[in-house]
Amino acid sequence: MRPFRILTALVMALVLSVGVFAQSRGPLRLKGKVVDAAGQPVEGADVRAAKKGEAAPEVFSAKTNKKGEFTLGGIAAGQWVIEVMKEGIGVTEVTQAITEADKNNILSITLVKPAPAPVDPSIEINAEHSRAIALAQANKFTEARAIYEALLVKFPTIYQLHAMLGTMYAAENNAAKALEHVKIALEKEPANVDWQMLAAELIMESGDKAGAQKILDTVDITKVKDPRAFVNSAINKINSGDKAQAEQATELLTKLIAQFPSEPMYLYLRARSYLATAKLVEARADLEKYVATAPATAVQMADAKKLLEQLNKK
């Protein structure tokens, strides 16, 4: 329960008092009754009151009896700030004008329980997310997915959970369910590059290359962390047998090389795109650089050396 704040309220009111200092004490009496939200009397509630406009506010106090009643005597006419509080029940603050005509009236005050502080789901979600990641790293994707499913039941408006759930479905090779959840996340945050890339990759896996390319065309490649969908798109263009698409692959791979200079595989792929467009000098340069920088055990190493050998004979 928060402390009384009546003095703070009165100090703020004094700013507007323009030096007019009324007296708190006088011949009047304030009677009141305090009830809870159900209308039942509240016994033992603390009542405090202070008159507005005072240079040094005097606080009058009382406690309610078994009937919830209280009396504040010896007060002057004027505007009074009255605050009532009972631990575990609630707190209420009212402003009441007290005049000679009100001396027989009884002020009714209802204690209101403060609204509970909103629950911050991030603490639980972050803890469960860390647990799910640990499971995923151990290849326990089904268990990790179950964590996100449980979180979505509890926090259905946290749309980011759909993206996490989609990632787990993708790891389980369930592209259809993965795409279903990723699309929900993208509806809420359509410019999220990570989710766009995952959606494009899943759509491409389903065989809809045009649909995947439509998403990729909207992605800012400089913001991409995992370019697999772009790489697959480049490979599809190289293998299409169409010179124009191979040229598009070259352009795309040039961007990937600039974005990920430490990944030599893109040099090999660009060399293949150059070969598809009969640009032999450029292809040879990329293959030489690939052979010099890629690990000896790289999957493409044998083919790169073979292609380079063929080019060197021409």
Side-chain angles (χ1 to χ4, degrees):
M1 185 71 69
R2 62 178 175 79
F4 280 105
R5 55 187 179 178
I6 190 167
L7 294 181
T8 301
L10 288 170
V11 169
M12 294 300 294
L14 285 174
V15 177
L16 305 177
S17 66
V18 198
V20 179
F21 304 141
Q23 295 296 315
S24 296
R25 293 192 171 275
L28 301 182
R29 179 176 296 182
L30 172 65
K31 293 182 178 181
K33 183 173 183 178
V34 179
V35 297
D36 60 19
Q40 296 302 308
V42 177
E43 180 183 2
D46 289 301
V47 181
R48 294 190 181 183
K51 190 167 180 285
K52 285 189 174 183
E54 288 292 306
E58 181 176 359
V59 178
F60 292 74
S61 61
K63 270 190 178 292
T64 58
N65 60 23
K66 290 182 179 181
K67 296 181 179 181
E69 299 169 341
F70 70 89
T71 300
L72 295 173
I75 61 177
Q79 289 285 332
W80 285 76
V81 178
I82 304 150
E83 187 166 66
V84 183
M85 181 176 69
K86 177 66 183 287
E87 190 75 31
I89 296 181
V91 60
T92 297
E93 180 184 293
V94 297
T95 300
Q96 177 71 22
I98 298 175
T99 68
E100 288 281 352
D102 298 319
K103 60 184 179 182
N104 295 320
N105 292 338
I106 297 177
L107 177 65
S108 179
I109 299 176
T110 301
L111 282 183
V112 179
K113 183 171 288 190
V119 177
D120 181 3
S122 63
I123 297 174
E124 180 178 351
I125 289 174
N126 289 338
E128 288 295 273
H129 176 58
S130 297
R131 194 162 70 90
I133 292 300
L135 287 169
Q137 290 172 338
N139 294 324
K140 297 180 179 180
F141 303 116
T142 301
E143 292 91 332
R145 170 167 55 82
I147 290 175
Y148 293 125
E149 287 173 334
L151 285 172
L152 260 175
V153 171
K154 193 169 184 179
F155 305 106
T157 61
I158 308 299
Y159 63 87
Q160 294 88 341
L161 291 170
H162 284 285
M164 298 171 190
L165 185 54
T167 301
M168 292 303 107
Y169 271 121
E172 293 179 87
N173 296 315
N174 190 338
K177 289 295 291 183
L179 186 58
E180 175 186 325
H181 286 280
V182 173
K183 282 183 174 180
I184 293 173
L186 276 172
E187 286 177 1
K188 299 293 185 179
E189 199 174 326
N192 188 298
V193 171
D194 293 337
W195 302 346
Q196 286 177 320
M197 294 297 293
L198 179 56
E201 190 174 345
L202 292 167
I203 292 172
M204 196 174 293
E205 286 181 16
S206 72
D208 185 4
K209 297 177 182 178
Q213 190 60 52
K214 186 177 179 180
I215 294 177
L216 293 176
D217 287 342
T218 68
V219 175
D220 181 354
I221 198 170
T222 63
K223 296 180 179 178
V224 171
K225 300 172 186 174
D226 182 353
R228 282 179 297 178
F230 277 118
V231 173
N232 290 334
S233 175
I235 292 172
N236 289 333
K237 291 178 183 297
I238 293 168
N239 294 336
S240 68
D242 181 82
K243 183 178 179 181
Q245 288 200 48
E247 289 175 343
Q248 291 173 8
T250 300
E251 181 181 352
L252 173 56
L253 288 161
T254 298
K255 293 179 180 178
L256 288 175
I257 291 168
Q259 181 76 357
F260 304 96
S262 61
E263 177 50 76
M265 182 184 69
Y266 305 148
L267 289 167
Y268 166 79
L269 292 175
R270 190 172 67 175
R272 295 299 302 258
S273 72
Y274 280 138
L275 289 172
T277 54
K279 294 182 179 180
L280 305 187
V281 174
E282 291 88 345
R284 181 184 292 110
D286 274 357
L287 288 170
E288 288 175 345
K289 189 172 182 180
Y290 173 80
V291 170
T293 57
T297 56
V299 175
Q300 301 87 4
M301 183 59 75
D303 188 56
K305 288 182 176 179
K306 180 179 178 181
L307 291 171
L308 189 57
E309 182 180 351
Q310 292 172 351
L311 287 172
N312 287 333
K313 288 181 179 179
K314 293 183 179 181

